[in-house]
Amino acid sequence: MCTSSSSTLFRLLLCVSILLTAITHAALLPLSPLSLSYNKEMKKELLGTTKERNPPWILEFYGSYADEEDRTAFTKILDLNTQDIGDRINGDRGGHSESVAKLKKDYSGYKKDEVVVKILYKSTDYREIGEVKALKAVGLYVDSGMAPVGPDGEKVAVIMMKKLDGVPIRETIQYKNANRQQENEIFGYAKPIVRKQVVNWAVTKGILHADFNPDNLLFGGTQTATHISLNLPISQVEVLDFGYPGILKVDKDVTEQQVIGLICSGKHVFLAMIRLGRRNQRLSRSCKANFRFSQVLHEYFALSQYI
């Protein structure tokens, strides 16, 4: 009798455990009403409100699907301090980060020139967890945790990621000296490269990237002591920044044709953050330049033919 009761209890506990695991890994992360409301409005800014621009296969922000393992992203202390942090990259400072910087030492099997560190603020939530999750999905993640690299050595959240090759477009001599037609030509070459990457991530990784401001693209180029120039013809463009709110989850059954159709119709807002920048200047230090860039990309993606 005891044996039978023990066996029944074991099976019951096992079923409960399996059910909880399934819920943890499949359900949306519980968010506060304030966060849910904010996300709803943010998604409207990014994609619009119609089914045509915001189809049902585009789900919620990527961090909303964090599972139990994802939530441990910032629980450990990293072997990193202020002396290990090098120059800031392009003076980068985003709405959800303090800066992105080079390293002065090798880290976790990577040479110092192969890794960059993104210094976040002290508190983290589903947004920063989502960035770690996305970086893992696309193969750029190195490490994450807390490190005493904040003001006065304060422990803050950091993300270590692989450094991508390329040069910032706005610092190249070609872009600085370009008129509108020449800018169109530059981004015309970049268009199919970026499009192919966006479609691939959506179909194979379940990620839709929706934040393509100039600082989030690196072009193949050459840097000397006096200037930065593009490698022509343009054949390399790397897409950066997997942080909130530019990354959304898409349905696992989404097709390549659906994603390409959204992009080629011009309905995918590649520089949606520019809208937010115009409404909130802290989100974009160079809103006018970004908006100009936005118009160029929109023209080319809207006129694109299917791959």
Side-chain angles (χ1 to χ4, degrees), residues 276-295:
L276 302 181
R278 295 168 68 189
R279 189 183 70 182
N280 188 343
Q281 289 297 324
R282 74 179 178 81
L283 292 178
S284 176
R285 296 187 308 278
S286 46
C287 181
K288 291 182 179 178
N290 282 355
F291 184 65
R292 188 180 178 193
F293 186 94
S294 164
Q295 291 174 314

Side-chain angles (χ1 to χ4, degrees), residues 23-33 35-36 39 60-72 124-130 133 249:
I23 292 173
T24 300
H25 287 267
L28 280 166
L29 187 67
L31 301 178
S32 70
S35 293
L36 289 172
N39 282 352
E60 300 299 327
F61 292 109
Y62 203 65
S64 301
Y65 297 87
D67 59 27
E68 187 175 353
E69 181 181 352
D70 295 328
R71 295 174 217 177
T72 66
T124 58
D125 58 20
Y126 68 97
R127 292 169 291 191
E128 291 76 22
I129 290 171
K133 185 179 179 71
K249 185 175 178 64

Side-chain angles (χ1 to χ4, degrees), residues 39-279:
N39 282 352
K40 185 177 180 180
E41 292 303 312
M42 183 69 76
K43 193 176 178 185
K44 287 181 183 178
E45 290 282 354
L46 286 167
L47 300 171
T49 57
T50 66
K51 286 186 177 180
E52 192 177 30
R53 288 185 55 181
N54 188 358
W57 53 264
I58 300 178
L59 307 178
E60 300 299 327
F61 292 109
Y62 203 65
S64 301
Y65 297 87
D67 59 27
E68 187 175 353
E69 181 181 352
D70 295 328
R71 295 174 217 177
T72 66
F74 299 100
T75 56
K76 66 180 179 181
I77 305 299
L78 303 187
D79 180 21
L80 202 67
N81 56 55
T82 53
Q83 288 73 35
D84 302 323
I85 306 299
D87 295 334
R88 265 53 177 178
I89 298 177
N90 303 327
D92 183 69
R93 182 189 178 106
H96 297 277
S97 68
E98 178 64 29
S99 63
V100 176
K102 299 177 182 179
L103 283 185
K104 292 183 178 179
K105 71 170 187 177
D106 297 344
Y107 187 88
S108 189
Y110 291 90
K111 298 293 184 182
K112 62 182 180 181
D113 294 331
E114 298 174 334
V115 182
V116 295
V117 54
K118 186 169 188 176
I119 302 172
L120 306 170
Y121 296 113
K122 186 175 182 180
S123 60
T124 58
D125 58 20
Y126 68 97
R127 292 169 291 191
E128 291 76 22
I129 290 171
E131 182 169 4
V132 169
K133 185 179 179 71
L135 286 168
K136 287 180 178 180
V138 300
L140 295 177
Y141 176 79
V142 173
D143 206 356
S144 62
M146 304 295 289
V149 296
D152 301 320
E154 180 184 19
K155 286 182 181 177
V156 295
V158 300
I159 301 175
M160 315 292 290
M161 63 191 84
K162 295 177 184 177
K163 182 179 180 295
L164 294 174
D165 294 329
V167 298
I169 184 65
R170 290 196 291 203
E171 295 186 14
T172 63
I173 55 175
Q174 288 92 341
Y175 185 81
K176 288 179 178 180
N177 297 326
N179 58 33
R180 182 61 181 271
Q181 181 179 349
Q182 290 167 332
E183 286 181 3
N184 287 353
E185 292 174 358
I186 290 173
F187 298 123
Y189 288 117
K191 171 196 62 182
I193 303 172
V194 175
R195 181 181 62 196
K196 185 176 181 179
Q197 185 65 86
V198 172
V199 173
N200 178 62
W201 281 332
V203 175
T204 65
K205 307 296 183 183
I207 292 174
L208 182 67
H209 200 306
D211 183 11
F212 293 99
N213 71 65
D215 292 327
N216 289 347
L217 297 176
L218 289 180
F219 286 69
T222 304
Q223 184 168 359
T224 68
T226 58
H227 68 273
I228 299 175
S229 61
L230 289 171
N231 291 340
L232 299 174
I234 293 171
S235 60
Q236 175 195 349
V237 185
E238 300 285 0
V239 180
L240 309 175
D241 197 348
F242 291 83
Y244 179 94
I247 304 296
L248 296 116
K249 185 175 178 64
V250 299
D251 187 86
K252 62 181 178 63
D253 295 322
V254 69
T255 66
E256 183 175 313
Q257 288 70 30
Q258 285 176 309
V259 183
I260 296 174
L262 183 71
I263 293 172
C264 294
S265 67
K267 294 163 191 158
H268 181 246
V269 186
F270 277 85
L271 286 177
M273 281 298 288
I274 305 314
R275 293 180 176 182
L276 302 181
R278 295 168 68 189
R279 189 183 70 182

